[in-house]
Amino acid sequence: MSDTSTAAYTAEAARLDAADELAKHREKFALDDTVYLDGNSLGALPAHVPARMADVITRQWGELRIRSWDESGWWTAPERIGDRIAPLVGAADGQIVVGDSTSVNVFKAVVAATRLAGGDRDEILVDATTFPTDGYIAASAARMTGHRIVPLDPAEMPGAVTGRTALALVNHVDYRTGRLQDLPGVTAALHAAGALAVWDLCHSAGALPVGLDAHGVDLAVGCTYKYLNGGPGAPAYLYVAERHQARFDSPLPGWNSHADPFGMTPDYRAAEGAPRGRVGTPDILSMLSLEAALDVWDGVRIEDVRAKSLALTDFFLECVRAYAPEGRVTSVTPEAHAERGSQVALRCAEAPAVMAELIRRGVVGDLRRPDVLRFGFTPLYVGFADAERAARVLGEVLRDIPAG
């Protein structure tokens, strides 16, 4: 790569950054000069969160103590924060409850969906490329409920749904390749056959429009520590469409989801609405850290985030083609915008060594063994200069590390 070509790409990056309406949001995050392209694993820290949490710990917990369940709004946090997330995934208020891990919420959603489906429907379609835990949970749920698992590529699901299908569990974006699955099409095909759609939004919420209500999704789950920047281990969330809430039968009924939680009665009677998705006492510190982090979304349109995400990933792929030695990396992320999430995955035979060296040189992505370099683009704080620098450093590393 000549100095002239490099100058052209750096100049183009500067032009794109100057025209970027979302660039002003970068200052809301605690960042250094590292190019951070792993926000699809752990989002960056919003700069105001430490001060907010200092108040939660010193005043709400330290001074008010038990009174904070009422006076600081701890008790209503799971649904209040759910309503903050709702616009980012295209849901009306009152359908999302925050709490527990993604795995726990997948279990709730899958078992509850089998109960909603009922009848002779005894098969669960599962995304064959799913994040492993989703597959583990679905298999366990199937053993418990007498269902059988049918692993399929999501593209094959519309043609595979039968009268025996209870539900399909699908990742909206493939965690390894960044492929965006057809949520509207798969959901419609399931509904046409009387089955339910359960979507995992971990790699799409906060990166692109989801449209849960518009597309009639039945249940959905997602984490909050990736594009939503909630912090390591931040609580996940469960979406139950309003039309299903009265019949939503959680496999994990707890005192927190009881209609009269402080009655402490031996019999269980489910609460109305989204609180049915609760189980036990919420993790308040992580919950309120997430609530503070969501402030960075104030005034941000998810459609604008999606537009920048596509522009960033397009530009990064263009720069990789220009900077990387021929034949050393191959993109496994779809080129078509309709099929792409907000990450780029590159296959590279020397991926472990390459990623380690990239990180040492200040470009942080991640590795999916054995041979995938994964770069996540979080449009609120990643710019076009970051994309150009990452591709340029990747080219340098590939030239320094021998092939094969």
Side-chain angles (χ1 to χ4, degrees):
M1 172 60 62
S2 68
D3 290 343
T4 301
S5 298
T6 299
Y9 281 108
T10 56
E12 177 64 4
R15 184 191 71 79
L16 291 168
D17 280 332
D20 175 21
E21 292 294 327
L22 293 180
K24 61 188 177 185
H25 295 283
R26 184 185 180 103
E27 67 186 23
K28 297 178 181 179
F29 294 87
L31 297 167
D32 53 23
D33 61 358
T34 299
V35 176
Y36 188 65
L37 300 182
D38 207 6
N40 54 332
S41 290
L42 177 64
L45 171 68
H48 68 281
V49 169
R52 190 79 62 83
M53 290 309 295
D55 176 73
V56 170
I57 293 170
T58 60
R59 184 181 64 84
Q60 296 182 28
W61 179 16
E63 297 174 15
L64 295 177
R65 294 179 288 275
I66 196 71
R67 292 162 52 195
S68 276
W69 284 102
D70 292 321
E71 295 181 28
S72 300
W74 289 2
W75 184 258
T76 59
E79 291 75 42
R80 183 177 71 242
I81 301 170
D83 287 346
R84 294 281 303 275
I85 293 171
L88 299 176
V89 293
D93 287 355
Q95 299 177 99
I96 294 178
V97 62
V98 174
D100 307 311
S101 67
T102 306
S103 303
V104 170
N105 282 303
V106 169
F107 178 75
K108 292 183 217 172
V110 170
V111 175
T114 66
R115 294 172 176 177
L116 286 167
D120 296 325
R121 296 179 178 272
D122 61 356
E123 67 178 23
I124 300 172
L125 309 186
V126 175
D127 181 346
T129 60
T130 189
F131 187 78
T133 298
D134 285 23
Y136 306 156
I137 296 288
S140 178
R143 291 193 300 273
M144 294 173 60
T145 60
H147 289 65
R148 66 188 184 93
I149 296 293
V150 180
L152 288 169
D153 186 298
E156 299 173 352
M157 287 183 177
V161 184
T162 72
R164 303 192 71 92
T165 304
L167 68 126
L169 173 63
V170 196
N171 285 207
H172 194 195
V173 173
D174 186 297
Y175 79 100
R176 186 180 295 271
T177 67
R179 176 177 290 277
L180 174 64
Q181 308 296 357
D182 181 10
L183 182 148
V186 172
T187 300
L190 288 162
H191 288 174
L196 285 82
V198 180
W199 287 89
D200 182 327
L201 310 179
C202 286
H203 288 272
S204 58
L208 52 90
V210 177
L212 292 178
D213 288 352
H215 301 304
V217 168
D218 301 290
L219 299 115
V221 302
C223 68
T224 62
Y225 47 79
K226 301 183 192 299
Y227 296 104
L228 299 184
N229 312 297
Y237 57 90
L238 170 68
Y239 163 90
V240 181
E242 184 177 14
R243 65 186 181 278
H244 293 309
Q245 288 179 359
R247 293 180 55 233
F248 178 80
D249 183 6
S250 175
L252 294 173
W255 80 280
N256 239 242
S257 62
H258 198 288
D260 182 15
F262 294 99
M264 303 297 173
T265 58
D267 61 306
Y268 179 76
R269 180 165 54 90
E272 297 294 326
R276 285 191 175 210
R278 292 190 182 204
V279 183
T281 305
D283 183 340
I284 289 298
L285 296 185
S286 290
M287 188 89 64
L288 298 185
S289 176
L290 166 62
E291 183 173 36
L294 289 171
D295 287 352
V296 301
W297 292 95
D298 290 348
V300 175
R301 298 175 66 251
I302 195 65
E303 293 79 9
D304 295 336
V305 171
R306 174 60 168 166
K308 182 178 175 182
S309 163
L310 292 171
L312 277 169
T313 48
D314 279 344
F315 184 63
F316 178 70
L317 285 166
E318 179 183 350
C319 290
V320 168
R321 286 190 286 267
Y323 289 141
E326 186 173 357
R328 294 293 302 279
V329 295
T330 304
S331 175
V332 295
T333 300
E335 292 280 341
H337 286 181
E339 299 174 7
R340 186 194 310 166
S342 197
Q343 71 181 56
V344 172
L346 303 176
R347 180 157 285 128
C348 174
E350 299 77 29
V354 169
M355 183 53 69
E357 184 60 19
L358 279 170
I359 293 171
R360 194 186 71 80
R361 299 188 191 188
V363 175
V364 179
D366 71 4
L367 171 71
R368 285 294 177 263
R369 293 184 296 177
D371 60 355
V372 172
L373 303 168
R374 201 177 66 152
F375 303 93
F377 289 83
T378 46
L380 289 188
Y381 56 80
V382 171
F384 293 91
D386 296 318
E388 185 278 333
R389 178 181 160 196
R392 176 162 35 88
V393 174
L394 173 62
E396 294 167 358
V397 170
L398 291 169
R399 282 187 287 274
D400 291 343
I401 294 178

